[in-house]
Amino acid sequence: MGQTKKEVQKKKRMSDITKILIAMLLGSAVGILVGESATKIGFIGDSWLNMMKMFLVPIVICMLVKGISSMDSPEALGRIGLRFILFYVFTTICAGLLGIAVPMLLKPGVGFKYTIATETVAIKELPSAAQFFTSMFSSNIFATFTKADMMQVLIIAIIIGVGVVMLPAGKREPVRDWFNSMADLMMSLINIALKLAPIGVFCLMASALGKYGLGLLLTIAKLIGVFYLCCAVHLIVVYCLLLTAFTGIGPLEFLKKAFPTFATSVSTCSSNAVIPVSMEVATKNFECGEGVAGLGIPLGATVNKDGVAILCGSVLVFSSQAMGIPLTLSMILNILFVTTLVTSAGSGVPGGGLMNLMIVGTAVGMPLDIIIMVGGFYRFFDMGTTSMNCLGDMSATVLIDRLEKRRLQKEMKRRKQC
């Protein structure tokens, strides 16, 4: 029997996913076998990553405005936005607790041998509540776009989107249509870069494994193992359990459909670079509404950093065990609070979580020796932090989209009965 056009397109899309997975495996193997010489092709992967981020600011602006302006009313926008914020805060707290509890139970830092670092690292002071709030708002949108300050970009996009929603009928549609067309253009440009994904992924993975190798990696294998165990537990117990309970989507179905997001996040280690991929996955693979996806994915890439929260707890508990520093209840609560605060303003770029880790370590009074050492292997942790961040964004978007559709169905039934 002849295949339909939709089936052919689906097979083609799965073929692209397979190419990315093969590129990841081959790149890792080449990096391990060739060694440091493999780092010479790293610039190719960096160039591809730059292509992914080239139009990042206009993508976030256009997609977020498109998503917000598609809402029927300010009330709908406020309801859906509040659900996203509550979901992200809840999962971040869960991630922080898990990152602290599992290392305390398994004690990976006991007996660990480390070398005291001699270099000085400049750490930003933890901002006050007033400074943090003020820094969210730009005084010059052009300077914000140039620096790609994603928190400020997000706020600007939200303000523009709300402004479009509040325009009177007749004036709202032309503005909304323009942003919709620009969002489609941005996605078309990103698709050009996605065609080169297997090459970029291969070079990035080969360079990373060639630089670090496996021998040196084994010295902190216990910490890496505990970290990824926490990630796996968080993925299954928090994301998948919530999805199954509220949407009926099982873990295997979720992971299968979200694989492009996972593969891109592991290879790029940039939540922002994954935004266009996640948008496509949410709207096509999970059939989420463009309004919900356009709000949830860019918002999550900026404020949802569950992977970083897990890393902060794991590394700080590991450091306390290795250095013989007992963790008091007040220190544990401090780690959880500061982690939730600083990760909500994560940069979404490769390595951004390391600075958050240093800020949390300084805030709770933990020596930075092991944190600095972790920085040398951060690429291996960053693959886990970014994939958790992005899968968290995806799970939130799918869950809230299903809840919103269920609410609309109930309203339609109620209207029919009336």
Side-chain angles (χ1 to χ4, degrees), residues 59-71 77 80-81 84 88 154 183 187 261 274-301 390 392-402 404-405:
I59 283 175
V60 172
I61 291 288
C62 295
M63 295 304 299
L64 196 54
V65 173
K66 178 180 178 181
I68 292 174
S69 62
S70 67
M71 303 293 177
L77 171 61
I80 295 174
F84 273 114
Y88 290 146
L154 192 73
M187 293 302 296
T261 291
V274 184
I275 289 175
V277 179
S278 293
M279 285 294 302
E280 185 174 4
V281 170
T283 55
K284 293 185 178 180
N285 292 11
F286 289 101
E287 299 180 347
C288 295
E290 290 189 352
V292 175
L295 177 61
I297 297 297
L299 179 65
C390 297
D393 302 343
M394 185 61 62
S395 65
T397 300
V398 174
L399 188 150
I400 292 172
D401 174 78
R402 298 300 190 272
E404 188 65 14
K405 288 178 178 176

Side-chain angles (χ1 to χ4, degrees), residues 70-149:
S70 67
M71 303 293 177
D72 296 332
S73 64
E75 290 78 12
L77 171 61
R79 180 184 64 253
I80 295 174
L82 179 61
R83 285 181 173 181
F84 273 114
I85 294 298
L86 291 176
F87 183 95
Y88 290 146
V89 171
F90 172 74
T91 58
T92 299
I93 293 175
C94 290
L97 286 171
L98 189 62
I100 294 172
V102 174
M104 290 186 70
L105 179 65
L106 299 181
K107 304 184 184 304
V110 175
F112 184 78
K113 305 296 181 182
Y114 67 94
T115 303
I116 300 295
T118 57
E119 58 182 302
T120 302
V121 180
I123 304 296
K124 297 179 182 179
E125 293 184 359
L126 189 67
S128 64
Q131 291 173 330
F132 175 74
F133 184 78
T134 303
S135 67
M136 294 169 62
F137 295 88
S138 170
S139 60
N140 186 324
I141 63 173
F142 299 105
T144 296
F145 294 166
T146 301
K147 294 184 297 182
D149 187 325

Side-chain angles (χ1 to χ4, degrees), residues 37-48 200 203-204 206-208:
S37 297
T39 59
K40 294 180 180 179
I41 63 173
F43 76 94
I44 300 176
D46 292 335
S47 299
W48 172 74
C203 294
L204 286 173
S207 178

Side-chain angles (χ1 to χ4, degrees), residues 207-393:
S207 178
L209 270 296
K211 180 178 180 180
Y212 300 115
L214 290 180
L216 196 57
L217 182 62
L218 292 177
T219 60
I220 55 171
K222 290 172 67 177
L223 175 58
I224 293 175
V226 169
F227 167 71
Y228 277 99
L229 174 61
C230 292
C231 290
V233 173
H234 188 69
L235 172 63
I236 296 172
V237 174
V238 179
Y239 297 155
C240 292
L241 189 60
L242 286 174
L243 279 172
T244 302
F246 287 95
T247 70
I249 297 176
L252 293 180
E253 180 184 358
F254 173 70
L255 293 175
K256 181 180 179 180
K257 291 183 176 180
F259 182 79
T261 291
F262 172 76
T264 308
S265 61
V266 168
S267 57
T268 64
C269 292
S270 171
S271 298
N272 290 335
V274 184
I275 289 175
V277 179
S278 293
M279 285 294 302
E280 185 174 4
V281 170
T283 55
K284 293 185 178 180
N285 292 11
F286 289 101
E287 299 180 347
C288 295
E290 290 189 352
V292 175
L295 177 61
I297 297 297
L299 179 65
T302 303
V303 304
N304 182 42
K305 296 289 182 290
D306 289 359
V308 178
I310 291 174
L311 179 66
C312 288
S314 299
V315 173
L316 291 178
V317 172
F318 181 89
S319 298
S320 71
Q321 294 171 351
M323 297 178 179
I325 302 174
L327 282 179
T328 63
L329 179 60
S330 62
M331 290 179 68
I332 293 174
L333 294 176
N334 200 15
I335 291 173
L336 186 62
F337 173 76
V338 177
T339 296
T340 303
L341 178 62
V342 300
T343 55
S344 67
S347 60
V349 299
L354 181 60
M355 182 55 68
N356 287 335
L357 179 56
M358 292 180 176
I359 293 173
V360 176
T362 302
V364 299
M366 185 68 66
L368 302 181
D369 300 280
I370 292 181
I371 295 176
I372 294 172
M373 182 187 64
V374 167
F377 299 89
Y378 190 72
R379 175 74 185 191
F380 294 100
F381 292 97
D382 209 5
M383 291 187 291
T385 58
T386 307
S387 61
M388 290 304 300
N389 297 342
C390 297
L391 289 174
D393 302 343

Side-chain angles (χ1 to χ4, degrees), residues 167-189:
L167 284 174
K171 294 184 178 181
R172 180 192 313 153
E173 287 74 18
V175 180
R176 183 173 59 191
D177 292 343
W178 185 85
F179 275 104
N180 289 349
S181 298
M182 290 302 297
D184 293 339
L185 173 61
M186 293 300 107
M187 293 302 296
S188 178
L189 293 174

